[in-house]
Amino acid sequence: IIRKIKKDYPEIKLVLISNTNDAHYDSLEEHYDILKVMDVHVLSHEFGKQKPDPGIFKEAFRVSGSIPGETFYPDDRPDLIEAARVMGIRAYQFTGADQFKKQLSKFGIQV
């Protein structure tokens, strides 16, 4: 899905926000080439803040040039979805690919 968004909607900036540490992230980069598709990575161990801290979301807005009401944010954790929604972000809980596609369609993104 991410690759299709990147190909079909090049104007959309794909930003990864991750609570991680240096060693764990290095391992992820080795095993998941999908990370290279993302335009920007906002990583807690580099930024010094973790989700749900509003600061990490604000950093993602800064680097992407986006604003909360125009941001689609999926996550599997309900507490992080709620934290994002408090900031005005369009946040959705990820439960599977079909549901994710339906959520994206609300943004006019057809994958």
Side-chain angles (χ1 to χ4, degrees):
I1 295 171
I2 297 298
R3 290 182 202 286
K4 183 144 178 65
I5 293 170
K6 183 71 169 180
K7 178 180 174 260
D8 294 350
Y9 300 90
E11 70 279 8
I12 293 176
K13 187 158 284 199
L14 299 173
V15 179
L16 172 72
I17 305 172
S18 182
N19 290 351
T20 188
N21 63 50
D22 204 14
H24 185 238
Y25 189 73
D26 288 345
S27 176
L28 290 173
E29 281 189 312
E30 286 179 31
H31 294 95
Y32 299 100
D33 67 340
I34 191 68
L35 295 175
K36 293 179 179 83
V37 174
M38 307 303 281
D39 296 304
V40 178
H41 300 180
V42 179
L43 308 174
S44 61
H45 69 277
E46 292 178 353
F47 185 64
K49 297 193 185 297
Q50 289 190 339
K51 298 178 288 182
D53 187 302
I56 199 162
F57 292 106
K58 290 176 183 176
E59 177 66 5
F61 297 139
R62 186 189 70 73
V63 299
S64 68
S66 185
I67 59 172
E70 295 177 357
T71 299
F72 177 89
Y73 171 70
D75 203 301
D76 61 336
R77 288 182 38 190
D79 61 321
L80 301 181
I81 296 298
E82 183 56 33
R85 286 181 177 164
V86 166
M87 295 184 66
I89 300 168
R90 294 176 170 180
Y92 299 90
Q93 186 171 5
F94 179 85
T95 59
D98 290 337
Q99 171 259 10
F100 187 51
K101 289 177 184 180
K102 287 178 187 174
Q103 293 167 340
L104 286 167
S105 71
K106 293 177 185 178
F107 272 75
I109 300 169
Q110 303 301 317
V111 290

